[in-house]
Amino acid sequence: MFKKIPGSYVLLFYIIVVLGIASYFIPAGTYDREIDTTKGISYVVPDSYKSVENTPVSIFDIFKSIPEGMMEASDIIIFVLIIGGAFGVIQATGTTDALIGNLVRKSLGNEKTIVAIIMTLFSLSGALFGTAEEALPFYPLIICFSLAMGYDKITGVAMVLLGTGTGFAAGFLNPFTTGIAQNVSELPLYSGIVLRVITNVIFLGTSIVFVIRHVNNIKNDLTPSSKAFEDFQSMKTEHYRVMAVLVLSFIFMIAGILKFSFYILEISTVFFIMTIASGLAGGLTPGRISAEFVKGASAMTYGALIIGIAKAVSVIMIYGNIMDSIIHALAELIEGFSPVASAVGMSFVHAVLNIFISSGSGQAAASMPIMKTLADMSGITRQTAVLAFQFGDGLTNLISPTSGYFIAALALGDIEWKDWLKWFMPLFIALCAEALIILIISTVINYGPF
């Protein structure tokens, strides 16, 4: 079955074409929106949906949506290219190989424990800070570490992606999903945290067990010990200088994120400065730094461009004025259901919406004003509606081909979407089953405060 799934570029293009054709048949419509000037977020006004004149998308516009999507996603595209360039320069100094060799030597016999620790740390970052794109710089290092331990690239990607993904989905303090959704639903900020912490433990624990079972089944001729001692040199003075630059850069970046709201542009700037400083600290000439940066960035071209194509999915819906129509139709589908069915239906609706609106904060702002009203009408708590949103959005982030950061993560690991799908599907089904049970429990106990 998975062999018949087209590659990521082709699949996304098919989705864009289908949506372009759909603009001729789906009635155009729009919601009124209110802008929160303090947060810069546009919220949908409930019960304000109205039909507008159809704007069918032309063949030219179908192709036009792709470069426009790339332009709209240019910040993340540039971010990925800079990450690739930075890693290329750092690798050229020999620091990466020396550091990983040192780490592997110290972790011999405890490799699976290290896997669990790494996933837990990334899960906490997803749950506390809503880490997604911000984790992209760590993929190359963790993938190299995974290979050095005798594992594969999927293990390296999974440690970061499933770590951040499970934390993001549970989101007990996630400001971009839980925070905005609770604000829209007029709930006390971060209320109901106990159930979300329990959810995080369940999702993370299941994922760790799945990844460790995978590494136990890997047949690799290179054991961690042989690879560590044969392929990697020892740390030298210049490597420690580069490490000092990296540590200081990451401390500055984390402080900027927490204190000064650094985002993609500022983080990219930090990485660019770090690249130059690392190259010089590692003894590279300016010419070599430039050449290695270009080489590293070029290796990220596949992943960088596919982010723009994923963004074109929402662009084509805006062209055809069908995004709000889809939101409205999905909301109407679950109106009048029983409380349990409504909760499950809401999660399914958000999973579908995540294909079209891959931004968690954007989806919360667009859909939660409607979902909180449906929750009141269906006899479920607004807190349960927020939980349904978190699960529908968060879990599909680990599988949706239109999610820019997810596709970028796979690109950093040189993994095709269909290959990830084949590997990840058993775990995805398990996580969805757990989410379903938690939603049923939250409905039965009237998970609140309201």
Side-chain angles (χ1 to χ4, degrees), residues 379-431:
I380 64 175
T381 63
R382 293 186 178 187
Q383 194 75 272
T384 297
V386 170
L387 197 65
F389 154 68
Q390 289 173 229
F391 293 167
D393 169 70
L395 293 180
T396 47
N397 280 336
L398 301 174
I399 203 170
S400 172
T402 62
S403 172
Y405 92 85
F406 163 69
I407 291 295
L410 296 190
L412 289 168
D414 192 26
I415 299 168
E416 277 283 348
W417 178 75
K418 60 183 178 181
D419 295 330
W420 173 264
L421 193 68
K422 179 180 179 180
W423 178 81
F424 176 63
M425 187 55 69
L427 176 59
F428 182 69
I429 293 171
L431 292 173

Side-chain angles (χ1 to χ4, degrees), residues 107-316:
S107 64
L108 289 177
N110 299 298
E111 296 88 357
K112 297 179 183 66
T113 301
I114 299 298
V115 168
I117 291 172
I118 290 173
M119 291 181 69
T120 300
L121 291 174
F122 278 110
S123 186
L124 287 173
S125 71
L128 296 171
F129 309 117
T131 300
E133 291 91 346
E134 297 85 352
L136 291 175
F138 295 97
Y139 281 90
L141 182 62
I142 299 299
I143 290 168
C144 287
F145 184 53
S146 174
L147 294 174
M149 290 193 295
Y151 302 151
D152 57 4
K153 290 182 178 180
I154 280 186
T155 304
V157 169
M159 280 192 274
V160 185
L161 184 58
L162 298 184
T164 55
T166 54
F168 194 95
F172 54 83
L173 290 176
N174 187 338
F176 302 112
T177 55
T178 307
I180 292 176
Q182 288 188 328
N183 180 61
V184 173
S185 302
E186 302 171 283
L187 287 161
L189 188 61
Y190 300 130
S191 56
I193 190 172
V194 174
L195 182 59
R196 293 198 301 278
V197 171
I198 294 172
T199 299
N200 200 158
V201 172
I202 293 171
F203 285 174
L204 175 62
T206 304
S207 299
I208 289 174
V209 170
F210 185 82
V211 173
I212 289 178
R213 284 186 62 186
H214 168 69
V215 301
N216 284 337
N217 292 328
I218 290 176
K219 305 299 182 184
N220 198 324
D221 293 334
L222 288 176
T223 64
S225 57
S226 66
K227 190 165 181 63
F229 288 103
E230 291 176 13
D231 292 355
F232 295 103
Q233 59 180 302
S234 300
M235 293 286 287
K236 299 178 180 178
T237 303
E238 60 268 26
H239 299 149
Y240 286 110
R241 290 200 300 263
V242 174
M243 281 298 301
V245 171
L246 297 180
V247 170
L248 290 173
S249 298
F250 275 101
I251 290 173
F252 179 72
M253 182 179 71
I254 292 169
I257 291 171
L258 296 177
K259 297 292 184 181
F260 304 107
S261 301
F262 275 17
Y263 194 49
I264 299 296
L265 176 60
E266 292 80 9
I267 296 173
S268 298
T269 304
V270 173
F271 265 84
F272 195 66
I273 295 170
M274 182 188 75
T275 300
I276 298 172
S278 297
L280 295 174
L284 303 184
T285 64
R288 178 80 186 281
I289 293 172
S290 175
E292 295 296 340
F293 182 86
V294 172
K295 188 188 301 181
S298 65
M300 294 295 104
T301 303
Y302 175 92
L305 292 179
I306 207 167
I307 293 169
I309 299 177
K311 183 67 176 178
V313 171
S314 61
V315 171
I316 201 74

Side-chain angles (χ1 to χ4, degrees), residues 334-340 342-343 346 373-381:
I334 59 174
E335 192 171 350
F337 282 10
S338 68
V340 169
S342 292
M346 282 183 181
T373 303
L374 285 176
D376 294 341
M377 295 168 57
S378 302
I380 64 175
T381 63

Side-chain angles (χ1 to χ4, degrees), residues 70-138:
M70 291 180 179
M71 290 178 186
E72 291 194 8
S74 59
D75 54 348
I76 299 180
I77 291 173
I78 293 170
F79 183 42
V80 170
L81 291 175
I82 289 177
I83 289 172
F87 190 71
V89 171
I90 294 166
Q91 201 165 31
T93 66
T95 304
T96 306
D97 286 350
L99 174 63
I100 291 172
N102 192 44
L103 291 174
V104 171
R105 291 184 186 97
K106 292 182 178 180
S107 64
L108 289 177
N110 299 298
E111 296 88 357
K112 297 179 183 66
T113 301
I114 299 298
V115 168
I117 291 172
I118 290 173
M119 291 181 69
T120 300
L121 291 174
F122 278 110
S123 186
L124 287 173
S125 71
L128 296 171
F129 309 117
T131 300
E133 291 91 346
E134 297 85 352
L136 291 175
F138 295 97

